[in-house]
Amino acid sequence: MGVPQGGPLSPLLANIMLDSLDKELEKRGHKFARYADDFTIVVKSQRAGERILCSISQYLQRRLKLVVNTDKSR
């Protein structure tokens, strides 16, 4: 079920897996930065951030079947 965290394949596989996330964020017109499985989406307000956090978390869970760590996400 995946590769060890910190292994040389981990960032490569994360980039491959999350390529569709990049395309979805671009389609929605969001400014973002991503390295492997860490990403930041830049928004203008706290309310927009909360809305996008919910929306992108659902996208990751439903479309990509990934688990979102709610303790680390903000």
Side-chain angles (χ1 to χ4, degrees):
M1 304 243 354
V3 294
Q5 187 173 3
L9 282 179
S10 183
L12 174 64
L13 294 176
N15 283 332
I16 292 169
M17 185 71 183
L18 293 175
D19 184 61
S20 66
L21 173 65
D22 292 348
K23 291 177 179 153
E24 181 68 20
L25 291 170
E26 288 171 355
K27 183 175 87 174
R28 295 181 185 193
H30 295 304
K31 305 268 190 248
F32 68 96
R34 185 174 67 77
Y35 175 77
D37 63 345
D38 293 324
F39 58 93
T40 301
I41 303 170
V42 182
V43 295
K44 293 183 179 182
S45 70
Q46 172 116 12
R47 185 171 177 214
E50 292 167 357
R51 201 171 54 245
I52 291 169
L53 174 62
C54 181
S55 174
I56 294 302
S57 294
Q58 288 178 359
Y59 176 84
L60 291 169
Q61 292 170 347
R62 292 181 182 161
R63 297 280 306 250
L64 300 181
K65 309 294 186 220
L66 297 173
V67 176
V68 176
N69 185 337
T70 56
D71 293 335
K72 291 184 178 181
S73 300
R74 53 185 169 93

